[in-house]
Amino acid sequence: MSKVKKPQQRWVCQACGAVTTGWFGKCPTCEAWNSIEEEISAPPPGERPAGPGKVVASTEAQTIVDRQPRRPCGLGEVDRVLGGGLVPGSVVLLGGPPGIGKSTLLLQASVGLARRNGVVLYASGEESVAQVAARCGRLGASHPGLLLMAETRIEEVLSAAQERARTLAALIVDSVQTVHSGAQDGLPGNISQIRAVTSALVGFAKTHGVPVVVVGHVTKDGQLAGPRLLEHLVDAVLSFEGDEERAIRMLRATKNRYGSTQELGVFEMRGDGLREITNPSEAFITDRDSPAIGSCVTASLEGSRPLLLEVQALLAAAFGNPRRTCVGVDPVRLAMLLAVLDRHAGVFALDQDVFVNAVGGMRLGEPASDLAVLLAVASSHRRQPLPPGLCVFGEVGLTGELRPAPRSDARLSEAARLGMKRVLLPTGPKQHALSARKLKEQLDVEVRLARTVGEALELAFG
């Protein structure tokens, strides 16, 4: 007769998840103070004989996928980021700063799911049913198919979900740090509890084919609280971002097993909830009567969506070491562009303080925004505004040459749709010239092509 092993005691860092031999005041791995706590782990499941697994052919698996289509939630921006809707059996983690609107977004999405796909169970571990119902009334998100419950025990949540598994369109848990499992010791939110709760939710989703959405807390530096284990267990990780001083909110996917991670959803926070912004370019471009010095419009690509964004630059006299302050722009890339301006365009700004900002809280991560940043800096240095209605995009090389951006046709069409009268882009293959000629004929937009940084400055300010 085999002996049953007793639960093992171990010391785990609550900041990084590292396991140590005993208690330390400072974690040897992440160097966090007073973060190591004692945990009791259950015997490993490997002592029980594993049941036989079902082997399915890939062709048969495809028919299973076809029988279980995605479940759209009715919010086009959310469905865009997810890749078309929630996948049956998937687990989605939604993170964001406190008060950014995560619960508001989920309640509005839950009503859309309930109207189109069936019953949605919304389990809150932070608010009572009356508080959640009051928010539903304010948002206009009440529906007979949206079921609410206030519970912090994962066993009770899964029991209520299993009773309705056949008609359940989605299970939403808000949040994973407030729910605990009775099979694990420790307070809610520690590593063992998060692992147990997430594993139970993943098992329920895969067994019953019900999509599960969980909310995760975010630390001060914007990272999901707890170890990276939580992100590895789920199928998709969504980030709800925004500035508290602005009404614009953005939804991004940092991980998505069933879709692209390049898509962007844009919302506006109002008193009655979140409103989708179907035309984000208008929200990110400042409406002025006359052109401003140090401002340049570029066409950025967020997944399959082209966006027109405004880049602003300001140069000032430096007292001491020059500063490089960037908001939404890579400071390393800005330093490279300043060096290119000095060497290949005769614009010396290395001895001045340079401030660059992407309007609207956006991030310009693709190299196609190089030319816009460069022209904005040159405009501030010359104290001369760029011509009104000008849109530029292109990558800048260290030798001063310009490289074309991918999907120039989509960027050109978006610039023309927003009323841009002149577009400056790098000279590229023949398809660029054909697109320029076609745009000129159909939309009456002037397209100028430049090979180098010097030519771009002459065409922009000429």
Side-chain angles (χ1 to χ4, degrees):
M1 183 175 180
S2 61
K3 297 181 179 180
V4 179
K5 292 186 178 180
K6 297 181 179 180
Q8 300 178 353
Q9 293 181 346
R10 59 179 186 173
W11 300 85
V12 181
C13 175
Q14 303 301 310
C16 66
V19 180
T20 62
T21 56
W23 183 86
F24 290 89
K26 182 179 181 181
C27 176
T29 304
C30 67
E31 299 183 353
W33 288 94
N34 299 323
S35 61
I36 297 180
E37 297 181 3
E38 183 181 10
E39 294 183 359
I40 299 178
S41 60
E47 297 183 2
R48 301 189 303 268
K54 183 180 179 180
V55 180
V56 181
S58 59
T59 53
E60 181 182 353
Q62 185 61 39
T63 59
I64 297 176
V65 173
D66 296 336
R67 290 197 303 265
Q68 297 180 345
R70 291 177 180 264
R71 300 176 182 178
C73 64
L75 294 177
E77 298 297 301
V78 177
D79 294 334
R80 174 195 295 272
V81 176
L82 289 174
L86 290 172
V87 176
S90 63
V91 181
V92 179
L93 174 63
L94 175 64
I100 201 66
K102 300 185 296 296
S103 300
T104 301
L105 178 66
L106 288 180
L107 283 176
Q108 294 184 222
S110 299
V111 172
L113 283 168
R115 290 171 179 170
R116 292 168 174 79
N117 301 281
V119 178
V120 176
L121 179 59
Y122 188 98
S124 175
E126 301 178 348
E127 298 176 291
S128 64
V129 172
Q131 291 172 328
V132 179
R135 183 185 289 113
C136 289
R138 178 175 60 86
L139 301 175
S142 300
H143 190 273
L146 176 58
L147 308 181
L148 307 177
M149 69 179 302
E151 185 57 61
T152 59
R153 293 172 296 176
I154 189 61
E155 290 82 6
E156 296 296 330
V157 174
L158 293 180
S159 176
Q162 289 173 357
E163 293 177 0
R164 303 165 177 84
R166 292 186 177 181
T167 59
L168 197 62
L171 170 63
I172 299 177
V173 180
D174 185 8
S175 63
V176 69
Q177 275 86 4
T178 61
V179 182
H180 67 277
S181 173
Q184 289 288 338
D185 295 332
L187 297 175
N190 65 15
I191 290 180
S192 60
Q193 286 289 354
I194 291 178
R195 183 187 293 112
V197 169
T198 307
S199 299
L201 292 173
V202 172
F204 169 79
K206 305 304 179 185
T207 302
H208 298 278
V210 176
V212 176
V213 182
V214 295
V215 178
H217 291 172
V218 172
T219 59
K220 294 181 179 179
D221 56 354
Q223 301 296 325
L224 284 168
R228 306 289 292 189
L229 171 69
L230 183 60
E231 300 181 36
H232 292 301
L233 290 175
V234 300
D235 299 309
V237 179
L238 305 183
S239 176
F240 201 42
E241 309 167 354
D243 192 347
E244 295 180 357
E245 300 178 355
R246 297 191 179 106
I248 300 297
R249 302 289 188 268
M250 288 168 286
L251 182 66
R252 302 176 185 270
T254 58
K255 172 187 177 182
N256 192 356
R257 291 174 177 169
Y258 308 110
S260 172
T261 58
Q262 303 298 324
E263 296 293 346
L264 174 70
V266 185
F267 301 86
E268 180 185 4
M269 177 62 76
R270 293 186 172 184
D272 56 350
L274 292 166
R275 183 183 70 89
E276 298 179 89
I277 299 180
T278 56
N279 189 10
S281 298
E282 294 182 351
F284 295 132
I285 297 180
T286 306
D287 188 11
R288 298 188 182 93
D289 296 333
S290 59
I293 297 176
S295 175
C296 185
V297 176
T298 185
S300 179
L301 204 62
E302 296 288 343
S304 60
R305 168 186 288 180
L307 297 178
L308 294 191
L309 304 175
E310 182 181 356
V311 183
Q312 296 178 348
L314 176 64
L315 274 62
F319 297 94
N321 294 327
R323 292 183 297 171
R324 306 288 182 258
T325 304
C326 301
V327 179
V329 179
D330 186 8
V332 177
R333 201 147 190 93
L334 174 61
M336 182 200 75
L337 295 176
L338 292 176
V340 171
L341 269 175
D342 175 39
R343 180 60 61 90
H344 301 287
V347 179
F348 184 72
L350 297 176
D351 60 342
Q352 301 184 40
D353 292 337
V354 181
F355 306 89
V356 179
N357 174 40
V359 177
M362 293 294 295
R363 295 196 306 262
L364 296 175
E366 60 171 352
S369 61
D370 288 350
L371 186 56
V373 176
L374 186 142
L375 291 180
V377 173
S379 173
S380 180
H381 184 271
R382 292 187 175 192
R383 299 187 180 182
Q384 177 183 355
L386 291 167
L390 175 65
C391 178
V392 304
F393 54 88
E395 182 181 355
V396 177
L398 291 178
T399 58
E401 85 282 0
L402 301 181
R403 300 190 183 97
R407 294 192 60 193
S408 297
D409 294 345
R411 301 175 197 259
L412 289 170
S413 300
E414 181 70 8
R417 189 180 67 84
L418 267 293
M420 294 294 164
K421 299 301 182 183
R422 183 183 303 176
V423 178
L424 175 61
L425 67 157
T427 301
K430 293 182 179 180
Q431 56 265 28
H432 285 265
L434 295 176
S435 300
R437 189 180 303 110
K438 181 179 179 181
L439 198 66
K440 173 66 176 177
E441 296 174 354
Q442 295 181 354
L443 303 173
D444 193 22
V445 175
E446 180 183 358
V447 178
R448 296 186 176 184
L449 303 177
R451 296 182 180 274
T452 63
V453 172
E455 292 182 9
L457 291 175
E458 293 179 3
L459 293 175
F461 293 99

